Amino acid sequence: MNAGIIGTGHYVPEKVLTNHDMEKIVDTSDEWIRTRTGIEERRIASDDMDTSDLAFRAAENALKDADVKAEDLDMILVATVTPDQPFPSVSNMLQHRLGATKAASMDVAAACSGFMYGLITAKQFIENGSYENVLVIGVEKLSKITNWEDRNTCVLFGDAAGAAVVGPVSEGKGILSFELGSDGSGGPHLYQGKEDDLLYMNGREVFKFAVRQMPESSVNVVKKIGLSEQDVDYLIPHQANIRIMEAARQRLGVPEEKMATAVKRYGNTSSASIPLALSEEVKAGKIKENDLVVLVGFGGGLTWGAVALRWGK
């Protein structure tokens, strides 16, 4: 039994924070942000909207797209590092709110790689026959842990949610290969402070790691299924920085129009980044039946993950 993505959905808050808005908050410029990151604007959730609210809306959209009822879900996996509170988990809150009465639930904390870890966890439950429908969500309200006085980080992040329903698909379709990794020695380069709960990042070190790991992992998952870079039809990289994304695209030789660039409109949304970009590209009709799609991400930890999948049910 093969596991694949049978439905996608996403949600972004209404409030738009542009680079010109950022110029009024910290000492930066629209040109500096665009040329170094590719980001033009990001979405910010209101004070009365928390992580579980973002996740709920994306989940509803994904379930509708998959034509799966909440009561038919066997498990809910939520990737996030900005939960509403330490417990109950966001997935547990969603289980009740969606009416997914028979679903088990748990959260996954692997920062920007979280959705990849959730996706591969779902794959195991489906392919071993334990579960049939698993909802995987990547969601963050990063605005609540952002230091709005740190110009090196506050310009990068935004709030969003992306979701995918994972279920059985035909032979030859779905998730064909994956790679997950972890390097705890990189923890000091990207972390949440114990004292103030704010996000801290050593941009130079994270950049060096990402421009090496993203292209390497992308190529690895393609080679695992006996194919080459030329066989990749679409690339969905973690939407962190256009220069890092370009490194992966050029290594795979994928044309510019075949790579998702949601980073322009939403910034880095951590766990939500890949499912948000995937959902947008699917809705726009850019990903076609039988396309070989590579998803690849990296995040705090440091962690990373990549997937090669054949699109379709």
Side-chain angles (χ1 to χ4, degrees):
M1 185 182 295
N2 286 16
I5 294 173
I6 61 174
T8 59
H10 64 277
Y11 176 77
V12 294
E14 292 181 7
K15 182 181 178 181
V16 177
L17 195 65
T18 68
N19 290 346
H20 294 295
D21 293 327
M22 296 303 306
E23 292 174 346
K24 301 171 186 175
I25 299 173
V26 288
D27 182 16
T28 189
S29 71
D30 170 59
E31 182 185 16
W32 189 93
I33 300 169
R34 277 189 294 105
T35 55
R36 286 164 175 77
T37 70
I39 300 169
E40 297 175 8
E41 58 188 39
R42 67 287 293 147
R43 299 296 181 98
I44 304 296
S46 58
D47 291 343
D48 61 353
M49 175 172 280
D50 216 330
T51 304
S52 62
D53 299 307
L54 298 168
F56 176 72
R57 299 195 185 193
E60 284 192 315
N61 292 333
L63 289 169
K64 182 179 180 180
D65 186 54
D67 195 22
V68 170
K69 296 178 180 178
E71 53 264 36
D72 293 327
L73 288 174
D74 300 296
M75 188 172 213
I76 300 171
L77 298 171
V78 174
T80 188
V81 292
T82 55
D84 297 31
Q85 57 205 65
F87 64 92
S89 65
V90 175
S91 57
N92 193 205
M93 295 176 183
L94 275 186
Q95 184 267 338
H96 171 65
R97 193 166 170 184
L98 288 168
T101 51
K102 70 172 185 175
S105 64
M106 68 176 179
D107 284 5
V108 179
C112 308
S113 308
F115 179 77
M116 307 305 292
Y117 272 77
L119 191 60
I120 297 309
T121 301
K123 166 184 161 71
Q124 312 308 320
F125 280 108
I126 290 162
E127 292 187 354
N128 69 24
S130 299
Y131 293 151
E132 187 172 348
N133 296 305
V134 180
L135 176 63
V136 184
I137 301 169
V139 57
E140 303 290 0
K141 187 179 179 181
L142 291 169
S143 58
K144 68 181 181 182
I145 65 167
T146 296
N147 181 352
W148 292 99
E149 296 179 356
D150 179 6
R151 67 175 182 173
N152 294 313
T153 58
C154 72
V155 300
L156 302 175
F157 301 104
D159 304 332
V165 179
V166 183
V169 293
S170 305
E171 186 176 352
K173 300 286 181 70
I175 300 167
L176 305 179
S177 67
F178 69 90
E179 173 176 291
L180 296 175
S182 178
D183 178 8
S185 69
H189 300 321
L190 182 54
Y191 65 96
Q192 185 176 3
K194 292 181 180 179
E195 304 300 325
D196 56 14
D197 290 331
L198 295 178
L199 184 156
Y200 291 90
M201 181 175 72
N202 181 331
R204 185 183 299 274
E205 290 301 319
V206 172
F207 183 88
K208 284 164 55 179
F209 163 76
V211 294
R212 172 182 57 81
Q213 193 61 56
M214 283 241 292
E216 184 179 305
S217 296
S218 301
V219 172
N220 287 348
V221 292
V222 174
K223 287 185 174 178
K224 281 183 179 182
I225 54 177
L227 296 178
S228 68
E229 295 93 316
Q230 290 72 37
D231 295 306
V232 177
D233 296 301
Y234 220 92
L235 175 65
I236 311 284
H238 168 42
Q239 308 286 303
N241 179 307
I242 196 66
R243 292 186 294 168
I244 298 171
M245 294 158 59
E246 277 293 313
R249 183 188 70 77
Q250 291 171 12
R251 179 66 179 84
L252 284 173
V254 174
E256 285 186 34
E257 66 272 16
K258 293 291 185 178
M259 179 178 77
T261 54
V263 68
K264 293 178 182 178
R265 299 180 304 283
Y266 307 121
N268 182 347
T269 57
S270 188
S271 301
S273 160
I274 292 173
L276 166 62
L278 175 64
S279 177
E280 280 207 330
E281 300 303 276
V282 170
K283 300 296 183 292
K286 294 181 180 180
I287 295 176
K288 308 288 197 303
E289 184 82 9
N290 290 318
D291 273 357
L292 181 65
V293 183
V294 171
L295 314 178
V296 59
F298 67 93
L302 295 164
T303 59
W304 64 91
V307 160
L309 64 87
R310 184 71 66 185
W311 193 257
K313 298 182 182 180

